[in-house]
Amino acid sequence: MSSGSYYVPASSRWPVLGSVALGAMMVGTGIKLVYDTGLPLVLIGVVGILAVMGLWFRDVISESRGGLYDEQMDRSFRWGMGWFIFSEVMFFAAFFGALFYVRMFAIPWLGGEGAKGVSALLWPDFVATWPLLNPPDSSIAGPEQVFSPWQLPLVNTLILITSSITLTVAHEALKVGDRKTCRNWLTGTVLLGCCFIMIQGVEYYEAYAHYGITLEAGIFGATFFILTGFHGVHVIIGTLILAAMLVRIIKGHFGGENHFGFEASCWYWHFVDVVWVGLFIFVYVL
Amino acid sequence: MAPKLPPQPPLQHSTTAVADGQSHGHAAPPKGIFRWLLTTNHKEIGSLYLIFSLTMFFIGGIFALVVRAELFQPGLQLVEPEFFNQMTTMHGLIMVFGAVMPAFTGLANWMIPLQIGAPDMALPRLNNFSFWLLPVSFTLLLSTLLMPGGGPNFGWTFYAPLSTNFAPPSTTFFILALHIAGISSILGAINIIATILNMRAPGMRLMDMPLFVWTWLITAFLLIAVMPVLAGVITMMLMDINFGTSFFDAAGGGDPVLFQHLFWFFGHPEVYIMILPAFGIVSAIIPTFARKPLFGYASMVYATAAIALLSFLVWAHHMFIVGLPLVAELFFMYSTMLIAVPTGVKVFNWVTTLFRGSISFESPMLFALAFVVLFTIGGFSGLMLAIAPADFQYHDTYFVVAHFHYVLVPGAIFAIMAGVYYWLPKWTGHYPNEKLAQWHFWFSIIGVNLTFFPMHFAGLAGMPRRIPDYALQFADFNLLSSIGAFFFGASQLLFVLGVILCVRGGKKAPAKAWEGAEDLEWTVPSPAPLHTFETPPVFHRTSH
Amino acid sequence: MRSRWWLMAVSLAASGSQAQTNGWNMPVGVTDVSSDIYGLHMTIFWICVVIGLVVFGAMFYSLFRYRHSKGAKAAHFHEHTSVEVLWTAIPILILVGMAVPATATLKNMYDSSDAELDVMITGQQWRWRYEYLGEDVAFTSNMSTPRTQISGEETRGEHYLLEVDEPLVLPINRKVRFLMTSDDVIHSWWVPDLAVKQDTIPGFINENWVKINEPGIYRGQCAELCGIDHGFMPVVVHAVEEEEFDGWLAERKEAAEQEAMGVDREWAMDELVERGESVYQSICSSCHQAEGQGSPPAFPALANNEQLINDVDWHLDRVVNGVSGAAMPAFRSTLNPVEIAAVVTYTRNAWGNDTGDVVQPSAVAELIAQ
Ligand code: HEA
Ligand code: HEA
Ligand code: CUA
Ligand SMILES: [Cu+2]
């Protein structure tokens, strides 16, 4: 609840520019997908968004360091970040929901089991299995084989879990003002993030080159890539954010009490971690 | 036609100290168009939202008139079926995402800080961003109509595979436009939640908040929970169209019905997103003009929460005939029927608020009362639709079209108009011209019923929706509907006129513009200065 | 149990019951299920009317009685727990009362066991295909209302938009199970008098059933937006006495066998063109238009189509296998070899496509068999 006077920024040009940049990126993407041209527009959009974000956050940081923010502002940021992460959770929920639906209903029905098993009349040769190596229509080639969870995926799981721990150590260190420890452990976290991304890249290469797991490989490929793909994008973003935090730590930003920017990055990273655990279980193991 | 004007409180000057714009030095805002482009002020952003919404209401309305003109009589007269489908689709999309949702967000921007005694929204720059995404999104959406192959033509529900394998090339742009609108809604909702949870005047507990604030708190929660699901499902569409995935294609092991589950998991809460803030507005207006506290404040809050929670469990009532297993069918029928209970509580509370009040009939009140009656009628037809076996006959007919226009037009739209008439004095410092407003009301109520009532009969008699031409036995109903639509559309010009006149002048309004009004917004002067509550007001608990 | 509810509803609906014939209300229909549904519909309608009268009655009474302009003074009560509990509980009871018969009806509708006849219904843009499973009888059913009536050049007939070239013929008094699917997008097969409306989902099969009590002609429409001609996709069911049905089915079976034999013989060009024209007009013209001019870019022209004229095999392949990812359906299983050969021969020799080519049914049959 209100205490003192709340800082209301004067007018700002970043939001409008941001929406124009986002618009440019979307239009560019559309043109690229539909007419196979327009890459420059996508790039302009992406660069614009990044630039706007940088400048916008620069304002926020300088306001914060200028002592314009009070506890109430801090709470606003906390609520904001918390609900943003909730919206991300729901975004992934849609993809997990699709995976569960397909595995529990659609594929068994197509294979002749359950309430709508008559559908199998249309697909006489189809056998319901998961992972789905042979999609109902033989013109769609399924994956040749799928990944064993106990190799690269397990390594990645360990990496991400470790990275959550190292990040927590860094955070605790920041709280007690031990900036050097914080810096070292945060550096470790960023490196772990990079490792994860690289390993995921190797896995994608393997998927296309040797496993026949592609976007076109029926519903297995589709759910596999949409879940791991969006997760991967989130890891990349999270790593970038943590890298930015590292730069700020090195520059001497943040106090023992006042470091919500850092804390928000931690929340985000833990969220990405939790999603991975879900992925590991439902996409790879089960 | 307009009855004698009821008494209004005398003009007085506000004695509230807080609300005086000059308190501390604000940098001079940029001039001209930049003022609007760059603003972080909740009142200016609120106005932008409202203007945007009105524009979209007219564009969506014109699309509806194209539909109604084609359906004026049997046969194909004005437009090709292809274009007709685009009009139906765009009408639905524009009205839902462009007119109703931004209107409520605009009202939230204007009124929530005023009602809870906050200086502004919690995250003002983000607020500006949320707004300016909308023009970008809708320009892109509307431009699809001009692209080769035409715009979206698969209904606002864009069921796969019609919207994936069989769609025009512009569909990709439609998806991207919807993504932008979705980001806008999510960020706007986050801002509203943060504002409500964090910016209330000292001493104001959650259970002291006006109902408009409460309903918006819950609506914002719904938005954050379901807009990402919409984003997810349209992303899957994008992949099916452009990258050869098979989410919605049985050939690869997917299922077209999966699309519908995901869509309606978003879509049903979406319809409550379009009605809960309306409940809040009506719950403010009825006590004001009945000069009596709202009956059952607490149960109103609980009922709103119950509706919101139930709304996550009923989505498949839009899918009773896609061939769900029997258990699913039963579950969704029962859960849907249950929603009548909390909604009924609200209706009964409004009626009881009127009971033994001291009621006057200014334009906001007229719209609010019409809301109660006509929304309830729409709710009754909703309940009929919820009876799964009967829905086998109702589904995808004009009976459904009648149902949802009753809850949306004299529901959501009337509540928005009631809110606008109610708060215009606070925004502009002038009362809207009451005579004009009363004419607007009576024309609207006739128009709306003439347009949408006959649709019940057309639907029951067997007319499917989304058809450009129909069998001869439906001709009379359609004739009436079309006349009504043009009449209703034309009456909305009175609304615009009234608003413009009110902005430019009119009878001066005091801080407390309506005799029976209680909430905090009525303690600041009219028009509300650009900056209000820069030092938090002290909140004194009133009756509830 | 069922009929008791129905009776109750009908007696409740005493005044409304004339409505059923004049096209204002849901039809009672000609099956037990349809009259159950009608009963539910009316019961719930009247319950809503009564609730509405009570609620709006109280409301208008208050509006009238407590007018500010008449000097009404406002009371100040704003809570009353027992009243609030009461008006939560009563609606719940009413809802339970509605749910009981609705559940029974729904269960009955879902029970398609013990059917005597299986009909496969396949939606296609924009026609219906009917297949009597196990009887080797199958045909497609297209709207027969001429486009000239739609455009208004000709006066509209009585069954404007609700008439087809070949109706679905069904026996009365026999339980018929429908297996419903689609070849392209989602359609919905609906006949109000039978109270059957069911989506047809491509790649899946939905079940429904009907047992018709009275012979007659029952009309309906596709009820799910399925593209340009969604409004022009009627359903007509011809319900006949059992013996008549058996006779009809035997006749159709015979004809189908005749046609199958035709595959092996050599056909003359004229024969094929004649046959092909009728196939073309009923099946292909909705997309490629009556004169083969198409409506580009969505639907390519077939008249003066270079590639088509130059390449018979390609042409045949398009028709037999369709174009995946586009609206062009594969006709390998929905048209028989004679029809395919005929329509291809026709398109290769009509509208200035004077190739002189003749494609024999036997060649098509061979292609399909591969
Ligand atoms: C503001 C929007 C809004 C609101 C509030 C509602 C409210 C309700 N809707 Fe509606 N609905 C839509 C917008 C809305 N709907 C739209 C847009 C569609 C179509 C989408 C499309 O396909 O394009 C739709 C479609 C739709 C369907 C699908 C129909 C079909 O396609 O076959 C169903 C089915 O159950 C349904 C049910 C309900 C119910 C039970 C309510 C309930 O919330 C109503 C509750 C209210 C009351 C019942 C009245 C007041 C209560 C009392 C006075 C208490 C006592 C009453 C009793 C005990 C009876 N709606
Ligand atoms: C909030 C949402 C909302 C609102 C406000 C409306 C408002 C209206 N709707 Fe809407 N409608 C939907 C949401 C809404 N609708 C949805 C979701 C669908 C489903 C789409 C689908 O099937 O995919 C639908 C479908 C729908 C159909 C069915 C189309 C079909 O199935 O093919 C029809 C048909 O009559 C219709 C009519 C109208 C009319 C006449 C109005 C009127 O109230 C509009 C009034 C407004 C104006 C007319 C504009 C303002 C005035 C002027 C521009 C002045 C100039 C005018 C004159 C001089 C006459 N609507
Ligand atoms: Cu087929 Cu609509
Ligand atoms: Cu719903």
Side-chain angles (χ1 to χ4, degrees), chain B residues 189-254:
Chain B
I190 290 176
N191 213 337
I192 287 171
I193 291 206
T195 307
I196 298 174
L197 293 180
N198 191 32
M199 307 284 289
R200 296 190 308 280
M204 183 186 271
R205 299 168 312 179
L206 285 176
M207 286 310 266
D208 294 326
M209 300 191 308
L211 267 169
F212 180 64
V213 180
W214 253 118
T215 50
W216 242 115
L217 178 65
I218 292 167
T219 304
F221 169 72
L222 287 181
L223 276 167
I224 300 176
V226 302
M227 291 308 286
V229 176
L230 175 70
V233 65
I234 59 180
T235 304
M236 290 182 224
M237 272 175 73
L238 191 79
M239 306 273 288
D240 268 12
I241 294 174
N242 294 296
F243 298 105
T245 52
S246 25
F247 288 107
F248 309 129
D249 186 352

Side-chain angles (χ1 to χ4, degrees), chain B residues 324 334 358-359 394-396 469, chain C residues 41 68 72 103 110 160 197:
Chain B
L324 299 176
Y334 300 147
S358 172
I359 303 166
Y394 304 135
H395 178 74
D396 262 340
D469 189 7
Chain C
H41 161 68
H68 187 67
T103 305
Y110 263 71
Y160 177 66
K197 183 190 283 146

Side-chain angles (χ1 to χ4, degrees), chain A residues 69-89:
Chain A
Y69 293 172
D70 56 2
E71 262 172 64
Q72 196 184 7
M73 183 58 96
D74 193 57
R75 277 199 307 272
S76 285
F77 285 143
R78 278 164 198 278
W79 281 121
M81 190 65 193
W83 287 104
F84 172 70
I85 289 179
F86 175 60
S87 79
E88 293 265 45
V89 170

Side-chain angles (χ1 to χ4, degrees), chain B residues 257-406:
Chain B
V257 175
L258 168 62
F259 172 88
Q260 298 184 26
H261 283 292
L262 291 167
F263 179 85
W264 287 115
F265 184 82
F266 145 80
H268 184 82
E270 169 69 20
V271 309
Y272 289 114
I273 287 166
M274 292 189 285
I275 206 68
L276 295 184
F279 290 163
I281 295 171
V282 169
S283 302
I285 292 175
I286 288 185
T288 296
F289 296 95
R291 294 169 179 76
K292 182 163 165 279
L294 181 69
F295 187 84
Y297 172 87
S299 64
M300 283 296 210
V301 172
Y302 300 138
T304 313
I307 293 174
L309 292 181
L310 279 174
S311 77
F312 288 111
L313 302 175
V314 302
W315 75 86
H317 65 216
H318 297 272
M319 303 164 57
F320 280 144
I321 63 157
V322 300
L324 299 176
L326 180 61
V327 269
E329 201 95 342
L330 288 172
F331 171 80
F332 287 108
M333 171 167 85
Y334 300 147
S335 59
T336 305
M337 291 170 75
L338 265 186
I339 293 195
V341 176
T343 319
V345 166
K346 294 192 148 268
V347 173
F348 302 142
N349 282 339
W350 289 322
V351 172
T352 314
T353 305
L354 294 170
F355 182 67
R356 295 185 51 210
S358 172
I359 303 166
S360 59
F361 298 92
E362 287 90 338
S363 46
M365 182 65 160
L366 288 176
F367 276 99
L369 293 173
F371 171 93
V372 174
V373 175
L374 298 179
F375 168 79
T376 303
I377 291 178
F380 286 149
S381 57
L383 190 76
M384 297 172 75
L385 292 168
I387 308 296
D391 190 59
F392 276 76
Q393 292 281 40
Y394 304 135
H395 178 74
D396 262 340
T397 66
Y398 265 76
F399 190 78
V400 177
V401 178
H403 156 65
F404 69 73
H405 281 95
Y406 262 81

Side-chain angles (χ1 to χ4, degrees), chain B residues 6-7 73-77 81-82 85 89 148-149 153-155 157 159-162 165-166 250 254-257 260 289-299 320-326 329-330 333-334 337-341 344-345 347-349 351-352 354-361 365 368-370 372-374 376-377 380-381 383-384 387-397 399 456-474 477 515 543-544, chain C residues 22-29 34 37 40-42 44-45 47-49 51-53 55-56 58-64 66-69 71-81 83-84 87-89 91-92 94-96 98-107 109-110 125 147 149-152 156-162 183-186 188 190-204 206 208 221-232 297 325-328:
Chain B
Q73 46 170 283
L76 290 179
Q77 283 91 17
E82 178 58 19
N85 289 346
T89 306
N153 55 8
F154 28 62
T157 52
Y159 283 3
L162 186 61
N165 295 342
F166 296 82
D255 185 349
V257 175
Q260 298 184 26
F289 296 95
R291 294 169 179 76
K292 182 163 165 279
L294 181 69
F295 187 84
Y297 172 87
S299 64
F320 280 144
I321 63 157
V322 300
L324 299 176
L326 180 61
E329 201 95 342
L330 288 172
M333 171 167 85
Y334 300 147
M337 291 170 75
L338 265 186
I339 293 195
V341 176
V345 166
V347 173
F348 302 142
N349 282 339
V351 172
T352 314
L354 294 170
F355 182 67
R356 295 185 51 210
S358 172
I359 303 166
S360 59
F361 298 92
M365 182 65 160
L369 293 173
V372 174
V373 175
L374 298 179
T376 303
I377 291 178
F380 286 149
S381 57
L383 190 76
M384 297 172 75
I387 308 296
D391 190 59
F392 276 76
Q393 292 281 40
Y394 304 135
H395 178 74
D396 262 340
T397 66
F399 190 78
H456 291 109
F457 301 126
L460 291 175
M463 177 165 165
R465 53 193 283 213
R466 297 165 167 171
I467 55 174
D469 189 7
Y470 47 83
L472 302 178
Q473 68 262 38
F474 310 127
F477 303 127
E515 192 187 312
S543 44
H544 49 242
Chain C
N22 61 17
W24 285 57
N25 199 356
M26 184 190 286
V28 179
S34 73
I37 290 178
L40 276 171
H41 161 68
M42 289 317 288
I44 288 156
F45 170 70
I47 293 176
C48 288
V49 169
I51 298 175
L53 286 178
V55 175
F56 301 149
M59 180 171 164
F60 281 99
Y61 170 79
S62 304
L63 291 183
F64 193 75
Y66 305 112
R67 272 171 296 171
H68 187 67
S69 58
K73 287 271 168 302
H76 280 281
F77 64 90
H78 55 82
E79 246 166 26
H80 195 294
T81 310
V83 170
E84 293 178 56
W87 71 37
T88 311
I92 294 182
I94 297 176
L95 292 174
V96 172
M98 294 176 180
V100 171
T103 305
T105 307
L106 198 63
K107 280 196 172 142
M109 290 165 73
Y110 263 71
Q125 282 178 323
R147 297 271 152 177
Q149 287 193 12
I150 296 172
S151 64
R156 304 196 168 92
E158 187 189 355
H159 299 299
Y160 177 66
L161 300 186
L162 299 181
D183 281 347
D184 34 53
V185 301
I186 302 177
S188 192
W190 181 33
V191 179
D193 280 314
L194 308 184
V196 175
K197 183 190 283 146
Q198 191 79 63
D199 281 359
T200 64
I201 314 283
F204 288 81
N206 280 331
N208 208 316
Q221 275 174 278
C222 175
E224 180 65 60
L225 179 59
C226 53
I228 304 181
D229 277 354
H230 161 59
F232 307 111
M328 175 69 194

